Amino acid sequence: MKYDLKKLGKGRIGVIGDFCLDVYWHADMTKSELSRETPHFPLPIVEERLSPGGAGNVVMNLLALEPKSVSALGVFGADWRGNALKDLLRQAGADVSSVVTDAARVTNTYVKPLRKGFAENVVYEDPRLDFTNYDALGEATERKLLAALSKLAKKIDVLCVCDQMPFGCITSKIRAKIVELGRAGLTVVVDSRDRIGLYTDVIVKPNEIESARAFKGEIPETEFARLAAALETRTGRPAIVTAGDRGCYVSEKGHVTHVKACTVTGEIDFCGAGDTFLSGLAASTAAGFALVDAARIACCCSAVTIKKLKTTGTASRPELATKLKGYAK
């Protein structure tokens, strides 16, 4: 299958949502000695890696496809984690000038301790340590975010929405503004873990579980085509339901197209695959590809990243081109 991937360089894309910092602590247990103060063996950290997660992973995946511009919009805490996350995004090439900082908020962070040394080439992951918010966004910060969103919308071709956290930055007022922008003609693509059923006038991209949840179980999660069609009817815009190794289902103008997954063999890590799909879909749509073609490109992007183990990887243009060569309709 041939697509002119140079077209990807035309798109101007904004990403609003719940940005996270992923922190990986690599502990070499062969260096651990029993603590004198407690009955525990400490974790000797020999390597620390930081990378953008959540909406940040969407930004990194977009940047790997080399669009014209990628702008980040979210709320960070006034902490070292927020500074580190903003630096990582800026250094990668994203515009972070729209990011709002709130000293009352915590920068969403997932710390993942990884132990090695028990057996050759075996790594064990400890329970994750999470920093997140448990209160609603303050009104003053919400107003700043609304103003930044209105300003950003005038400079982009596609807006990606990453609505993931229970107390994230996509409040009811922010969601209403996103819907208003979609109704006014901006192409908006939404990924939402728990609230996909609240969006209209935008392209939604839930998986089958999130789709079924939107209809309170009235449509089984195994009826992918029916879910996609029902979402299009509800939103008034094309809808896409992703279905893992079954690919995705695109409902557009009342017709549902099944887009097959790109075949992948061997060990995989599907963490972040949805972010990659969203990025590939948004970048392709911004470049002018038809939605079904954009969904095919997005499937191939995900097929690249799920082969990158123990990390939320990205799919570059050359990697995407190679995957597309072996992809059949």
Side-chain angles (χ1 to χ4, degrees), residues 65-309:
L65 295 173
E66 304 174 63
K68 186 174 183 179
S69 66
V70 180
S71 301
L73 177 54
V75 179
F76 294 8
D79 47 38
W80 73 264
R81 295 175 294 274
N83 293 333
L85 179 53
K86 189 180 291 187
D87 286 344
L88 287 168
L89 294 169
R90 184 190 296 113
Q91 291 164 9
D95 179 357
V96 296
S97 61
S98 297
V99 168
V100 176
T101 301
D102 184 349
R105 303 289 284 180
V106 170
T107 302
N108 301 308
T109 303
Y110 297 138
V111 181
K112 305 172 184 181
L114 304 168
R115 304 187 189 206
K116 65 178 182 179
F118 297 101
E120 187 176 0
N121 298 323
V122 176
V123 176
Y124 298 89
E125 185 170 340
D126 274 6
R128 205 175 63 195
L129 309 175
D130 291 0
F131 294 81
T132 190
N133 296 282
Y134 299 98
D135 297 299
L137 198 67
E139 291 184 6
T141 298
E142 185 181 57
R143 286 194 297 269
K144 291 179 182 178
L145 192 61
L146 280 168
L149 175 57
S150 296
K151 185 177 179 180
L152 178 62
K154 298 174 183 177
K155 303 187 295 183
I156 57 176
D157 304 305
V158 171
L159 177 67
C160 282
V161 180
C162 304
D163 178 9
Q164 305 298 331
M165 302 291 192
F167 296 98
C169 72
I170 308 298
T171 64
S172 59
K173 288 183 179 179
I174 298 295
R175 185 166 51 251
K177 182 62 179 179
I178 289 167
V179 167
E180 177 188 316
L181 291 170
R183 190 176 298 130
L186 179 64
T187 299
V188 181
V189 185
V190 175
D191 193 7
S192 178
R193 184 165 295 169
D194 299 307
R195 294 178 284 266
I196 203 70
L198 299 180
Y199 290 89
T200 63
D201 300 281
V202 300
I203 299 171
V204 293
K205 184 223 70 77
N207 61 31
E208 72 275 28
I209 297 172
E210 295 158 348
S211 302
R213 190 180 298 145
F215 295 99
K216 299 180 180 180
E218 294 177 4
I219 304 176
E221 62 186 53
T222 53
E223 294 189 20
F224 313 112
R226 187 180 168 196
L227 285 166
L231 284 167
E232 184 188 9
T233 299
R234 172 176 285 186
T235 62
R237 294 289 187 275
I240 300 172
V241 173
T242 60
D245 60 4
R246 298 177 182 85
C248 68
Y249 293 74
V250 180
S251 183
E252 188 174 21
K253 297 179 181 178
H255 176 73
V256 178
T257 301
H258 177 209
V259 175
K260 295 181 180 178
C262 187
T263 302
V264 175
T265 58
E267 188 177 0
I268 64 170
D269 182 352
F270 59 81
C271 181
D275 295 338
T276 302
F277 186 98
L278 176 62
S279 303
L281 183 71
S284 303
T285 302
F289 287 101
L291 190 60
V292 169
D293 288 328
R296 291 186 178 117
I297 290 171
C299 282
C300 287
C301 287
S302 294
V304 171
T305 58
I306 62 176
K307 290 298 295 179
K308 298 182 178 182
L309 308 181

